[in-house]
Amino acid sequence: MRIIFHHPLPLNYNATSASGIRPLKMIEAFKALGCEVALVTGYSAERKQKILKIKESINNGVEYDFVYSESSTMPTLLTDKNHLPLSPFVDFGFFSFCRRCDIPIGLFYRDIQWAFKEGSSNGSYFKELVARFFYKYDLYCYQKYLNKMYLPSLDMGNYIPIVDKSKFEELPPGHSKLLSNNINNQLCDKSEYNLFYVGGFGGLYKMHNLFEAVSNLPSYKLTVCTRQSEWEAVRHQYEDFLSDNINIIHESGKALRFFFDKSDILLLYLEPLKYGGFALPFKLFEYIGERKPILASRKTLWGHFVEKNNLGFVIDYDADALKAFLKCLPNFSDEYNDKVAALNSVAIEHTWLKRAEKVIKDLKGEL
């Protein structure tokens, strides 16, 4: 099978954020499934050259089964370094060409934070207005050219204008860990319990109640791994809750292995926001791959997902409710073991290979 993979930015093989990691994982999964992958990636000048070569090969009789695109968090036309629309017809002109050649196109639409106050830019009003125009232009072109528009969750589709809902398919993140031998399913008779969070901090990711609760429970150790710049930007908001049992780290990749293995509970205990009503975070599926029970906040889509699949514990986002839960956690050993068993079962269905298999099935069916 021969496919075209489009992404309007250079691939970042040292990426630590979801937006950089996901394209690499999907490429890796397609290749693992036997696909020959032609890349249309890089800044616009590089994409243009790659597109010209692919067009030439198609005109010479080479057949491609489909195009799969991973969008940027920026509007497609503003992804060059200077954020100017230097090559406004490169990407969507290519999509138009592919449709004329009867090549199906699917695209993963990363998020719609730009439509919400909580996720809006901190830049000038004029820049935000320009960005919104180009975001909407993306949607106009998606409606025109896409066969499938993949979303982190179908709930997100309720907030996307212009694009016909019949195009929407769910394609949340995945994980790569097929087996874990480090599951700690014993909660009894421990002098210390380890809680671990890895991911964004500040902005949409608020954890004040978590810090407040843990700072008053010395038998619990909280480790938060986030980018140093994100932590420093909001550190002053958490100063009153910092204590000896709260540790902030700035690690990534293999360095996280120690903290995952040591943890008893993985955390998605974040303050619910409107955007959280339909967001399934990248880290949720990373956690599932680790087969460690998850503590999630109620009134969020990830909390509903955790509760529905028995992957952990879901409670109100409230410092007193969290303190009460943590004090009782040592008594939940049987429940904890049940959730580990559920994680082992569910994890198999949420690998990156499964995500790529779905895309292949969907878009091959469009031929």
Side-chain angles (χ1 to χ4, degrees):
M1 184 179 299
R2 188 180 287 113
I3 73 169
I4 300 166
F5 187 98
H6 171 270
H7 179 56
L9 283 169
L11 296 173
N12 180 2
Y13 293 94
N14 297 311
T16 57
S17 65
S19 60
I21 294 171
R22 180 175 175 122
L24 299 175
K25 292 295 185 181
M26 288 299 292
I27 292 170
E28 182 182 296
F30 283 128
K31 288 181 176 179
L33 293 171
C35 296
E36 181 181 331
V37 182
L39 296 178
V40 177
T41 59
Y43 294 116
S44 62
E46 184 181 356
R47 298 199 304 276
K48 184 176 181 178
Q49 292 304 311
K50 291 178 178 179
I51 286 169
L52 288 174
K53 290 181 180 180
I54 289 173
K55 283 184 174 181
E56 182 180 359
S57 69
I58 291 173
N59 290 330
N60 289 331
V62 176
E63 295 184 355
Y64 291 91
D65 291 281
F66 60 84
V67 177
Y68 174 77
S69 178
E70 285 271 335
S71 70
S72 167
T73 53
M74 295 177 283
T76 304
L77 271 62
L78 304 183
T79 52
D80 278 315
K81 289 182 179 180
N82 57 12
H83 303 305
L84 295 175
L86 302 179
S87 303
F89 306 111
V90 167
D91 301 283
F92 296 125
F94 179 58
F95 282 11
S96 177
F97 171 82
C98 290
R99 287 303 299 265
R100 293 197 301 274
C101 295
D102 295 322
I103 303 173
I105 305 171
L107 175 141
F108 175 75
Y109 192 57
R110 192 164 309 283
D111 63 45
I112 196 167
Q113 290 188 28
W114 58 269
F116 291 83
K117 184 177 180 181
E118 295 97 334
S120 65
S121 168
N122 291 323
S124 72
Y125 174 76
F126 175 74
K127 288 182 179 179
E128 186 171 324
L129 200 64
V130 170
R132 283 176 177 270
F133 170 82
F134 283 106
Y135 278 125
K136 290 183 178 180
Y137 180 71
D138 274 354
L139 296 178
Y140 168 80
C141 292
Y142 296 159
Q143 168 61 22
K144 189 173 182 179
Y145 299 122
L146 299 186
N147 296 88
K148 299 289 184 183
M149 184 171 175
Y150 294 103
L151 307 176
S153 74
L154 288 178
D155 295 53
M156 179 174 151
N158 296 325
Y159 300 87
I160 297 176
I162 301 172
V163 182
D164 192 324
K165 289 180 170 53
S166 64
K167 295 180 183 286
F168 296 158
E169 293 284 343
E170 194 167 79
L171 198 74
H175 69 87
S176 302
K177 198 167 184 182
L178 300 181
L179 182 64
S180 175
N181 297 317
N182 297 307
I183 298 300
N184 171 14
N185 58 3
Q186 299 296 319
L187 287 179
C188 296
D189 302 322
K190 295 186 67 174
S191 59
E192 183 177 84
Y193 300 91
N194 290 286
L195 313 175
F196 184 46
Y197 170 83
V198 57
F201 206 90
L204 296 174
Y205 306 99
K206 298 177 181 178
M207 303 177 223
H208 300 80
N209 286 347
L210 172 64
F211 275 61
E212 180 184 348
V214 175
S215 67
N216 291 302
L217 296 171
S219 60
Y220 287 84
K221 183 174 182 179
L222 168 64
T223 301
V224 171
C225 180
T226 192
R227 296 181 191 87
Q228 185 169 359
S229 59
E230 294 186 17
W231 167 243
E232 295 298 338
V234 296
R235 178 178 181 142
H236 63 280
Q237 300 177 16
Y238 293 84
E239 290 286 357
D240 291 343
F241 307 128
L242 295 180
S243 56
D244 292 341
N245 62 331
I246 295 178
N247 186 29
I248 311 297
I249 62 172
H250 312 294
E251 303 288 352
S252 62
K254 293 180 180 179
L256 296 177
R257 181 77 273 134
F258 169 80
F259 298 98
F260 275 122
D261 291 346
K262 189 178 179 181
S263 65
D264 298 296
I265 296 284
L266 299 176
L267 296 169
L268 272 174
Y269 192 69
L270 311 174
E271 180 180 335
L273 296 171
K274 186 176 182 180
Y275 185 74
F278 54 82
L280 285 177
F282 192 91
K283 64 184 71 66
L284 168 61
F285 298 91
E286 183 180 17
Y287 287 177
I288 290 172
E290 294 296 332
R291 276 74 161 181
K292 294 290 185 79
I294 300 162
L295 175 62
S297 40
R298 191 167 279 121
K299 298 180 181 179
T300 61
L301 185 60
W302 63 81
H304 175 72
F305 187 92
V306 168
E307 193 166 41
K308 178 182 176 182
N309 293 282
N310 193 32
L311 306 180
F313 306 91
V314 181
I315 61 175
D316 291 335
Y317 186 77
D318 176 84
D320 290 335
L322 178 57
K323 281 186 276 188
F325 167 78
L326 292 176
K327 288 177 180 178
C328 294
L329 183 61
N331 301 322
F332 295 157
S333 183
D334 290 342
E335 288 184 53
Y336 186 94
N337 293 344
D338 290 342
K339 296 178 191 309
V340 171
L343 282 158
N344 282 323
S345 177
V346 169
I348 298 169
E349 299 302 318
H350 291 285
T351 64
W352 288 111
L353 285 175
K354 291 291 185 180
R355 304 301 185 236
E357 284 176 357
K358 174 173 172 54
V359 172
I360 292 170
K361 181 180 178 182
D362 288 347
L363 296 181
K364 284 285 286 182
E366 293 288 329
L367 292 174

